[in-house]
Amino acid sequence: MPDSAPLLTCHALPPGEDFLPTAARLILPFIQTPAGSGPDLGQRRLIVPGLPLASELRRELGRESGRSNGGPLFLPPCETLARWAGTVMLENPPLPESERLLLLRQALAERGWFDDGALWGVAAEMAALFDELTTHAVALPGDEAAFLAQLEAAYRLRASAPLAFEARVVHELWRVLASLGRPDAPGAYALRLARLVEAASAPLVVILDGPPDSACAPAEREFFARYAERQPVLLLHPQHRVADPAPLARLLATAWPAADEVPPLAERAAALSAELSAEPAASAFATTPAGPLSGRLAILAARGREQEARAAAATVLGWLAEGKRRIALIAQDRLVARRVRALLERREVLVADEAGWKLSTSRAGAAIDGLLETTAANVYYRDLLDLLKSPFLFDDVEEGLRKAAVFTLERAVRDANARSGLGAMGRALEHKAPPGAAARLAGELLNRVAVAVRILSGRDTGIADWAGRLERALEAVGAISRLGDDAAGAVILDLLARRREELGASEARFGFSVWRDWLNRELESETFRDHSIDSPVTMTHLAAARLRPFEAALILGGDAERLRPAEPPAAFFNQAVRQELGLPTRAVAQERLRQDLSLLLASVPQVVVTWQSEQEGEACLLAPELDRLSALHRFAWGDGLQGLAPRLPDPPESDTARPGPTRQPLPSVAATQVPARVSVSAYGTLVACPYRFFARHILGLGELEEVSEEMEKRDYGELVHKVLERFHGEFPSLSGVTDAAALARLQALTEEVFAPAINDNYLALGWRLRWEKRQTPYLAWQRRWEEEGWRWERAEWPLARRLSLGDGGEVELYGRIDRADRGPEGLALLDYKTRSRSALKAHLEEDVQLAAYAVLAGGVDEVAHRAAYLALDDDKVEAVSAAEDLAAAAAAQSARLTESLAAMRAGSPLPAHGATRICDYCEMAGLCRRDYF
């Protein structure tokens, strides 16, 4: 502080549990007025580094006042310096941050220094650098002219030095913005502080969370000094750790020395132990039973995120059981913090979250992003379905009806394999959805999404107009009301309204993708907080915990990756550029981190740090600051401060519901639940695994058809089926058709059928070429087949047959036969398979499909004499027959089906006894848990 501040009183207090009580004793006489004079409390101010500390200070002042005189205490306003300065109105309002970013992006685009896709990121990074440049270049100006003069002086001083290209770019654009005549946020802050000095009329009390040189900007330090020329100023701050004689402070200074050249850590530990125990250094390791951090700091290693979260939750619950009511959760790892919060809420312990959550991570943000992604990706089916399932949409539609409509649309889209496009979705709904109220509502919802997409697909326009379009699109899908009722959604709507007002005059025009990038950054930079929760457990960050008298604190994420100095994002302007610009570098941030840890360890009597010693099988490192503390403490006192993660007990209500050992599931169903219609594939499922049949066809848990992202072998087989169906429809027999003509026509049909798939995805050409290699072998087989007397009769033959059950009931078996041929022996059933002969023969003994087809043929008085799979995936096409006596096999499968369903109707269990090759690909494996019984 300057020496020309005669009314400035500064006290450096030892950090620790007595900091606030000591501060209260110093503050109380300073703010009390003489008896009878009447307190002028409206003009006085108590300045604190953060509002959470204000309530703690008021509490201590009340206690100290009660101990001294017992009378009522009238406190002046207690707030932060920035909040007080914000009450000052400037003649020239500052440049809004959103407008500054827009101007920066335009300037960068005009100069062509960076790729267009990176311009918003570069502009944001530059804006952060400009704020730091202004903060460190400006003291306390008298007015706008003095402010601009200071900026020009700083620019000339720094621009005279040789600078790298990136640093010169920053300086040039900084000067361009400064010349606009409208101050940025740090400049406006300095101007407001100058106005407060001019209006100084009452004493001022200031508490800082660190020494003034590190805790205050130049303008703030100048403000305190100039204010003290007019009115008394009492400034209190924690004593620097090097100057503090307390054992804990000396230990921290020994572990984190300020000098570069110091003795090895073991030697420093021995010297410190000797000093504190007043024993010779040679025996220091054995004479002191406990060090300053024993019982005060515990470092708990965990293997993985879940174990860390459970250990943290167990620690918090233990503290609550001990009666602690001021507990801090310091969330260095936000993913672990989310899990800890969920574990605590399951045990009815709410967490007051001061740190807040990014709007981009909220459900409301996800709903808005879903609408934008649906527009950007030409209504890709996954984006559309996720959007329609959002609880924020269609507030005028009853929830149950909406869910039914979305499910109907989803089934139709999957059945039609419609990947993208509103037209494809509409056609899928028209042709694949069963008629009814759900289908009609699905069409209406689809039309409303189409309106929103059209609104967001307009021509280039300004940011403010894009924000207006987004609001209209949200209105079209009925989302405004529910967003407004949601805490995060209301913040997003307010953000859009403010940006429309701030940027309404801008003439810059942007396309959809550029605007979306801007919006994503806005939602990523803004946070929302739920202030409705009052809890003994507070989630906060390390800097916000400074000087607060918590009873216990838990740091989540004490590894080297997460507990490290906070640095601004530097995708383009690295530490070397910052050094050239004269801005604080990593070393300053490192020292600030150590000060934060020092204040926490000094202020909180019990601190626990959890960290993951390994992640996904890879070893992780403890944060260097904690590692040094642990090593020093172990060297000096034999205590490395590290322990085992505690186990989180199960909630009391779960004791009776805890599952026992897993056994083979044996469900049974009522006769009314047994399906009256069974497809051939469902019958195959019943034979392979009764439990899978139960889950799929009785519980209705079968997976919906997947929309093919790329052509798969299943799609390839369907196209080959279509080719052969059309080919044999034209040529039931190849007699009289030359090999060349037959091959040419088969190739032409192949090109026609495969064309849409290739147009959609060029990689499908590989599948067509694969089939073309099999065409000559297929035609050769067809001629041999006809030489045996067989002729093609029909394709895709749908059949159904009713079978009587032993208990008087009936079941309908149905299916579709790929191909039926007629020959001297009668009827032959063929099933095309794009598989090899060996793969088909390997499982032929347990096959039921061909025999079931023979059962279906018997329902129309047709006796199938042959049934075979036609293997189309080898160099030689061959028919693989199912059984020598097809009639006997059909009779056996018919009896097997009727007996199984009759037993099922009688209550027989449906065990999970599938073969390994089936279970490996079964979608019900997580339900039956076969691997665990």
Side-chain angles (χ1 to χ4, degrees):
M1 292 293 176
D3 296 332
S4 58
L7 302 179
L8 177 64
T9 304
C10 187
H11 291 283
L13 307 179
E17 301 172 38
D18 292 333
F19 179 86
L20 284 182
T22 304
R25 288 192 291 272
L26 293 171
I27 292 172
L28 200 58
F30 196 82
I31 63 173
Q32 287 177 331
T33 56
S37 62
D40 188 10
L41 297 178
Q43 300 298 320
R44 299 167 183 261
R45 281 293 187 281
L46 287 176
I47 301 299
V48 290
L51 290 180
L53 191 65
S55 59
E56 302 290 349
L57 179 60
R58 292 191 188 97
R59 186 179 297 110
E60 290 298 337
L61 288 170
R63 291 173 181 169
E64 182 60 29
S65 174
R67 284 192 292 265
S68 59
N69 53 35
L73 176 65
F74 298 95
L75 293 176
C78 186
E79 56 192 344
T80 64
L81 185 58
R83 192 181 181 94
W84 185 25
T87 62
V88 177
M89 301 299 296
L90 296 177
E91 297 177 1
N92 189 14
L95 188 69
E97 179 63 19
S98 58
E99 186 177 351
R100 181 173 66 153
L101 280 177
L102 191 58
L103 292 173
L104 278 174
R105 192 195 183 281
Q106 288 180 269
L108 289 169
E110 292 170 358
R111 288 161 173 78
W113 289 330
F114 303 93
D115 293 337
D116 288 346
L119 292 183
W120 285 122
V122 177
E125 192 171 334
M126 277 192 167
L129 288 172
F130 294 165
D131 287 345
E132 291 189 82
L133 281 170
T134 303
T135 297
H136 290 85
V138 177
L140 196 65
D143 51 29
E144 279 87 348
F147 167 69
L148 292 177
Q150 286 187 28
L151 289 183
E152 282 294 330
Y155 173 80
R156 286 193 297 271
L157 176 64
R158 296 178 182 179
S160 62
L163 297 176
F165 165 73
E166 293 91 343
R168 189 165 294 279
V169 166
V170 173
H171 261 302
E172 290 291 341
L173 292 183
W174 181 46
R175 192 181 191 187
V176 169
L177 287 182
S179 66
L180 295 176
R182 297 180 67 184
D184 54 13
Y189 180 48
L191 290 170
R192 289 186 171 108
L193 291 180
R195 297 291 184 273
L196 290 178
V197 168
E198 294 174 0
S201 60
L204 181 66
V205 177
V206 181
I207 294 182
L208 301 177
D209 55 14
D213 290 344
S214 62
C216 299
E220 292 173 335
R221 294 196 295 270
E222 185 72 16
F223 165 77
F224 295 138
R226 287 176 54 180
Y227 196 101
E229 295 174 1
R230 298 168 177 257
Q231 291 291 332
V233 174
L234 175 64
L235 195 151
L236 310 174
H237 66 85
Q239 194 172 29
H240 195 277
R241 58 185 175 85
V242 174
D244 194 335
L248 176 58
R250 291 164 63 186
L251 182 148
L252 297 176
T254 303
W256 309 326
D260 294 332
E261 296 183 2
V262 293
L265 184 64
E267 295 181 15
R268 303 202 306 270
L272 176 65
S273 179
E275 292 174 9
L276 296 182
S277 60
E279 293 182 6
S283 60
F285 288 89
T287 55
T288 306
L293 286 176
S294 294
R296 194 176 190 92
L297 173 64
I299 304 172
L300 308 181
R303 292 186 176 181
R305 182 176 296 129
E306 180 64 17
Q307 189 180 32
E308 181 184 6
R310 295 183 70 85
T315 302
V316 172
L317 293 173
W319 284 339
L320 292 172
E322 295 171 5
K324 291 181 171 63
R325 289 298 176 265
R326 287 182 294 174
I327 299 171
L329 281 180
I330 299 175
Q332 296 296 122
D333 189 329
R334 295 296 291 179
L335 290 178
V336 173
R338 282 177 180 247
R339 181 59 178 152
V340 172
R341 183 172 183 171
L343 290 171
L344 292 176
E345 288 180 352
R346 284 181 58 192
R347 290 154 177 83
E348 300 183 353
V349 177
L350 298 180
V351 177
D353 191 353
E354 291 180 355
W357 301 94
K358 294 179 180 180
L359 289 175
S360 59
T361 65
S362 66
R363 294 191 307 159
I368 292 175
D369 185 69
L371 178 58
L372 300 181
E373 184 62 24
T374 300
T375 303
N378 188 29
V379 195
Y380 175 61
Y381 84 100
R382 288 188 186 275
D383 299 327
L384 174 66
L385 294 176
D386 288 344
L387 175 66
L388 295 177
K389 293 174 184 177
S390 171
F392 290 95
L393 268 63
F394 309 119
D395 55 0
D396 54 343
V397 179
E398 195 273 325
E399 188 69 11
L401 297 178
R402 180 182 68 86
K403 289 182 178 180
V406 174
F407 180 72
T408 300
L409 177 62
E410 181 170 8
R411 294 205 59 155
V413 166
R414 293 180 182 275
D415 290 345
N417 201 45
R419 272 203 299 276
S420 62
L422 284 167
M425 304 299 164
R427 289 190 294 273
L429 194 60
E430 180 181 356
H431 298 298
K432 295 294 183 178
R440 289 193 298 272
L441 180 57
E444 295 173 6
L445 301 185
L446 202 58
N447 290 335
R448 294 174 69 173
V449 172
V451 172
V453 169
R454 284 197 297 271
I455 292 173
L456 293 172
S457 300
R459 289 180 289 180
D460 295 1
T461 188
I463 295 291
D465 289 339
W466 274 118
R469 287 182 183 178
L470 176 58
E471 290 182 356
R472 295 198 302 276
L474 292 172
E475 288 176 358
V477 294
I480 292 293
S481 175
R482 288 178 179 171
L483 285 172
D485 294 337
D486 180 76
V491 175
I492 293 176
L493 294 179
D494 179 68
L495 173 68
L496 292 174
R498 284 188 283 115
R499 295 297 180 262
R500 289 182 65 184
E501 181 179 354
E502 294 169 355
L503 303 176
S506 174
E507 298 180 356
R509 296 292 181 265
F510 302 102
F512 175 82
S513 60
V514 176
W515 168 75
R516 187 186 178 193
D517 191 11
W518 171 86
L519 181 63
N520 288 341
R521 292 182 177 278
E522 290 288 313
L523 298 183
E524 187 73 16
S525 60
E526 294 283 339
T527 59
F528 76 97
R529 298 171 178 84
D530 186 356
H531 298 288
S532 63
I533 297 177
D534 184 15
S535 171
V537 184
T538 301
M539 187 177 295
T540 185
H541 50 85
L542 190 57
R546 297 167 186 161
L547 299 178
R548 295 171 66 179
F550 290 111
E551 296 175 89
L554 176 63
I555 299 179
L556 303 170
D559 57 274
E561 179 65 24
R562 292 168 180 81
L563 188 59
R564 59 179 181 177
E567 298 179 17
F572 302 95
F573 306 102
N574 56 24
Q575 292 291 312
V577 174
R578 293 179 62 84
Q579 188 170 4
E580 288 197 49
L581 292 172
L583 299 178
T585 57
R586 186 176 291 113
V588 176
Q590 184 83 23
E591 178 59 24
R592 190 58 173 165
L593 172 64
R594 292 177 175 180
Q595 288 185 13
D596 289 342
L597 289 173
S598 298
L599 287 176
L600 184 71
L601 292 171
S603 304
V604 181
Q606 193 169 359
V607 177
V608 171
V609 180
T610 60
W611 69 291
Q612 298 172 48
S613 59
E614 63 178 60
Q615 295 179 3
E616 299 180 356
E618 297 290 333
C620 300
L621 297 177
L622 185 63
E625 280 70 24
L626 298 176
D627 199 24
R628 287 192 185 185
L629 281 181
S630 174
L632 183 145
H633 218 267
R634 185 175 65 255
F635 288 151
W637 295 282
D639 178 9
L641 306 174
Q642 302 199 34
L644 298 176
R647 179 183 176 277
L648 178 65
D650 293 326
E653 64 272 15
S654 69
D655 290 343
T656 57
R658 185 181 303 164
T662 302
R663 296 182 175 85
Q664 182 183 31
L666 298 170
S668 59
V669 298
T672 55
Q673 294 178 291
V674 177
R677 298 183 75 240
V678 176
S679 66
V680 170
S681 62
Y683 171 55
T685 300
L686 175 61
V687 173
C689 178
Y691 186 86
R692 191 181 191 186
F693 177 86
F694 164 76
R696 274 187 177 183
H697 302 286
I698 295 179
L699 296 183
L701 299 179
E703 292 182 322
L704 294 175
E705 288 291 332
E706 287 292 335
V707 175
S708 299
E709 304 289 344
E710 298 178 356
M711 181 176 282
E712 301 173 354
K713 197 166 186 178
R714 177 191 63 180
D715 307 311
Y716 165 63
E718 291 177 356
L719 293 179
V720 171
H721 279 53
K722 291 180 181 178
V723 170
L724 293 177
E725 180 181 3
R726 293 180 58 180
F727 177 77
H728 288 295
E730 295 182 21
F731 302 106
S733 173
L734 294 183
S735 63
V737 182
T738 65
D739 290 343
L743 181 60
R745 186 53 184 155
L746 188 57
Q747 289 177 337
L749 289 172
T750 297
E751 291 180 2
E752 291 179 19
V753 172
F754 274 78
I758 295 174
N759 291 336
D760 188 51
N761 185 346
Y762 187 73
L763 295 178
L765 177 61
W767 289 103
R768 194 192 78 185
L769 296 175
R770 179 174 181 167
W771 164 236
E772 288 177 351
K773 291 181 180 180
R774 272 73 177 173
Q775 290 176 358
T776 299
Y778 174 77
L779 292 174
W781 173 87
Q782 178 66 25
R783 289 192 183 276
R784 294 195 304 270
W785 181 251
E786 291 183 7
E787 290 173 358
E788 295 178 14
W790 298 100
R791 294 293 183 270
W792 181 89
E793 184 173 278
R794 68 180 73 193
E796 299 297 324
W797 187 17
L799 289 174
R801 182 177 180 180
R802 302 194 71 82
L803 301 173
S804 298
L805 304 179
D807 61 357
E810 284 187 337
V811 64
E812 184 180 60
L813 179 68
Y814 67 95
R816 184 181 295 272
I817 299 173
D818 288 351
R819 171 175 170 176
D821 288 8
R822 184 76 59 179
E825 300 176 17
L827 185 67
L829 306 177
L830 298 178
D831 194 79
Y832 296 126
K833 293 294 184 184
T834 51
R835 297 168 62 186
S836 65
R837 297 187 304 275
S838 59
L840 291 172
K841 290 179 179 179
H843 306 296
L844 200 58
E845 291 184 1
E846 54 197 59
D847 178 75
V848 299
Q849 182 177 349
L850 293 176
Y853 284 159
V855 174
L856 288 176
V860 290
D861 297 329
E862 290 277 7
V863 178
H865 292 274
R866 295 189 63 176
Y869 291 119
L870 195 57
L872 301 175
D873 209 33
D874 285 326
D875 293 337
K876 180 181 179 182
V877 174
E878 180 180 337
V880 181
S881 297
E884 294 183 3
D885 189 348
L886 184 59
Q893 295 302 331
S894 177
R896 187 181 192 181
L897 172 62
T898 55
E899 290 172 3
S900 298
L901 292 179
M904 194 185 308
R905 288 162 58 92
S908 293
L910 298 169
H913 64 194
T916 301
R917 68 177 184 83
I918 296 174
C919 294
D920 286 344
Y921 300 98
C922 179
E923 74 278 17
M924 302 301 170
L927 189 63
C928 81
R929 298 176 62 82
R930 178 183 183 276
D931 292 339
Y932 297 91
F933 60 78

